[in-house]
Amino acid sequence: MSAERVEVDAPLGIAYQGVVRLIVGGIAEQANFGYEAMDDLQLAIERLLAETDGGGRVKLSFELDDGAIQTRIGPLREGNLVAALQETNGEPGTLSLARILSAVVDSFGVEPAADGQIVVRLEKLGTPRP
């Protein structure tokens, strides 16, 4: 499969989490991801968006290429998000954003955007459906 790109502009906020989950599921389906890989990507994006301070809009960009989905989410207000993405040595048993993302995606990172905002990159390798 050659690289395909899908971009979605969505409102931030709990009222649209189901819509974003549906979109991510459809994109994972298009990439032939199995259920577990799709669920991991949905969880990563939901959890990331839940950590934002809400309000405004966000662009989600998905690039599908050779069994992987690279996702860019932003711009997001930096706030406590960067610290949450870097916190890997918290209390034992706590689920920080960084720990969750480390468990469900293959890689993640942060890029600076305009006006002190950030873009978060996620990469998920798919497990094909049987």
Side-chain angles (χ1 to χ4, degrees):
M1 171 167 88
S2 63
E4 295 181 45
R5 184 179 200 84
V6 177
E7 291 186 358
V8 176
D9 185 294
L12 277 172
I14 197 144
Y16 289 91
Q17 280 186 352
V19 173
V20 170
R21 188 170 183 75
L22 249 160
I23 291 167
V24 174
I27 289 168
E29 172 77 19
Q30 185 66 30
N32 201 33
F33 273 29
Y35 177 78
E36 203 170 293
M38 174 189 70
D39 193 48
D40 286 349
L41 185 59
Q42 287 172 321
L43 176 63
I45 293 170
E46 277 180 8
R47 181 65 185 189
L48 176 67
L49 293 177
E51 292 281 337
T52 66
D53 54 8
R57 300 187 71 80
V58 66
K59 182 183 282 188
L60 296 102
S61 171
F62 304 91
E63 188 169 311
L64 293 70
D65 192 18
D66 293 330
I69 299 176
Q70 288 87 31
T71 306
R72 294 172 44 92
I73 304 162
L76 299 168
R77 287 183 228 150
E78 190 171 336
N80 296 327
L81 194 54
V82 171
L85 287 165
Q86 295 172 344
E87 183 182 323
T88 57
N89 297 326
E91 294 275 327
T94 59
L95 288 176
S96 69
L97 178 59
R99 283 186 180 180
I100 291 170
L101 292 181
S102 293
V104 297
V105 296
D106 296 288
S107 67
F108 66 93
V110 176
E111 299 173 359
D115 300 326
Q117 296 184 316
I118 60 170
V119 172
V120 177
R121 292 182 329 274
L122 307 173
E123 180 176 30
K124 181 67 182 168
L125 303 175
T127 307
R129 291 185 307 261

